[in-house]
Every structure is written in C-alpha cells, then in structure tokens.
C-alpha cells in the first residue's frame, strides 16, 4: 500500500479496519521524520481549510442574524479573517506568462504562521478549530487512499496537524 514515511504508525495497518482518525493520526513528534516539512501542497490545503472555516462561520452569523439571535460567531469569524489575511500577505509571485501557465507562485508563510492561524484564539474555539483541522487532515489522507492517489505526500497528511501545532 505504498511506502510508509512517518515512522511505523501506519506500517502493517489494515486500512479497512480503521474506525477513527486516532487509529492512524500521528500525535507523537518522535514518529515524524521531518518536523520542519511544510510543502506548497500542504500550505494550499491549510489556506483552503482556514478559508472554509471563515465561510462556515459567516454562514452561522448570517443564519443566526436572520433568526433574530444576533451574530453568534462574529468574534471567531473576525479572528479567523485576520489570520487568513495574514496568510494571504505571505506569498511571492513572478510575472510569468499566464497564458502558458508559467507563473511561479508560492506561499511564504511558515509552520509558525500556520500555528498562529490555527491556535491563536482566546476562547474554546481554539480547541474546536484544531480538532476540525485534525479531522480535515485525516479525511485528506483517507480520500487519497480511497482514490488510490498514494504518493509520498499521502502519509504526511497524518502528521501535518502535529507539525503545525508543535511549531
């Protein structure tokens, strides 16, 4: 089922018997080959997650306002928005040829920046968003396996949350 690059967390695992992300999610830094690893693909995934989180909070706020309950998650949404803006501000892009798809663009934010965007909240929301991110990493890993998109990256989805949280 592919080369296992993160210690032995998934070595010999019968994937059909996985009932929970906790069966395979990496929670011990000693099991991670490179705690500094943070690829552009992982950064894309992280930005997508934060943007999706903001979208969800916005939907909660507009729905709760329509129901007469005020803006139930406005504080959380504004904090996530600030963190998304911080991430968006950290990128490089050259003036390549768009028509030929030859533009070099990359994120320049670090694991530490991602940690801030994931864990800088003052309320219980910090636990909620970090659990949601762990679940998103697990789902990304599982979907890659189900779709047989088993590349070197697949196993690294299992340690991404840990690498960000421990930065």
């Amino acid at each position: 089922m592919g080369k296992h690059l993160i210690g032995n967390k998934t070595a010999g695992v019968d994937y059909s018997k996985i009932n929970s992300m906790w069966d395979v999610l990496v929670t011990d830094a000693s099991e991670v080959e490179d705690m500094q690893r943070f690829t552009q693909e992982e950064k894309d995934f992280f930005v997508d997650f934060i943007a999706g989180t903001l979208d969800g909070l916005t939907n909660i706020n507009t729905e709760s306002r329509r129901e007469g309950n005020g803006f139930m998650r406005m504080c959380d949404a504004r904090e996530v928005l600030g963190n998304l803006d911080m991430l968006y501000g950290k990128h490089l892009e050259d003036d390549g040829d768009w028509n030929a798809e030859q533009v070099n663009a990359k994120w320049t934010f670090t694991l530490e920046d991602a940690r801030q965007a994931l864990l800088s909240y003052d309320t219980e929301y910090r636990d909620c968003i970090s659990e949601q991110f762990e679940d998103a990493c697990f789902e990304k890993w599982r979907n890659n396996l189900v779709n047989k998109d088993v590349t070197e990256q697949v196993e690294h989805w299992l340690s991404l949350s840990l690498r960000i949280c421990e930065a």
Side-chain angles (χ1 to χ4, degrees), residues 1-141:
M1 183 55 77
K3 185 176 178 185
H4 302 293
L5 302 170
I6 305 181
N8 61 5
K9 183 75 171 188
T10 59
V13 170
D14 179 352
Y15 294 118
S16 67
K17 298 196 187 295
I18 294 171
N19 297 314
S20 159
M21 69 180 176
W22 301 114
D23 293 338
V24 291
L25 202 65
V26 178
T27 58
D28 183 349
S30 69
E31 296 181 21
V32 180
E33 190 175 298
D34 182 5
M35 286 294 288
Q36 298 306 308
R37 175 193 166 93
F38 201 26
T39 66
Q40 290 297 306
E41 184 178 2
E42 291 169 336
K43 290 177 182 187
D44 287 342
F45 179 75
F46 187 73
V47 168
D48 284 341
F49 172 79
I50 296 296
T53 298
L54 179 59
D55 180 59
L57 291 169
T58 300
N59 291 333
I60 290 169
N61 282 325
T62 57
E63 184 177 318
S64 65
R65 189 215 52 81
R66 279 192 302 271
E67 293 173 352
N69 296 320
F71 298 109
M72 294 181 71
R73 302 307 295 256
M74 186 60 77
C75 180
D76 295 332
R78 291 178 57 109
E79 288 179 357
V80 171
L81 176 62
N83 283 317
L84 182 60
D85 184 53
M86 178 267 299
L87 296 173
Y88 276 176
K90 297 185 179 203
H91 70 278
L92 294 174
E93 183 174 29
D94 67 20
D95 293 328
D97 183 352
W98 287 88
N99 292 326
E101 297 180 353
Q102 296 175 343
V103 176
N104 183 21
K106 68 179 186 175
W107 298 110
T108 60
F109 63 87
T110 65
L111 284 165
E112 291 79 10
D113 296 326
R115 182 182 191 282
Q116 176 184 329
L118 189 64
L119 300 177
S120 65
Y121 309 99
D122 292 334
T123 65
E124 75 282 348
Y125 189 63
R126 176 181 41 239
D127 293 334
C128 177
I129 193 172
S130 63
E131 287 174 14
Q132 290 170 347
F133 186 65
E134 289 170 337
D135 187 54
C137 291
F138 173 72
E139 289 301 320
K140 179 73 170 173
W141 171 81

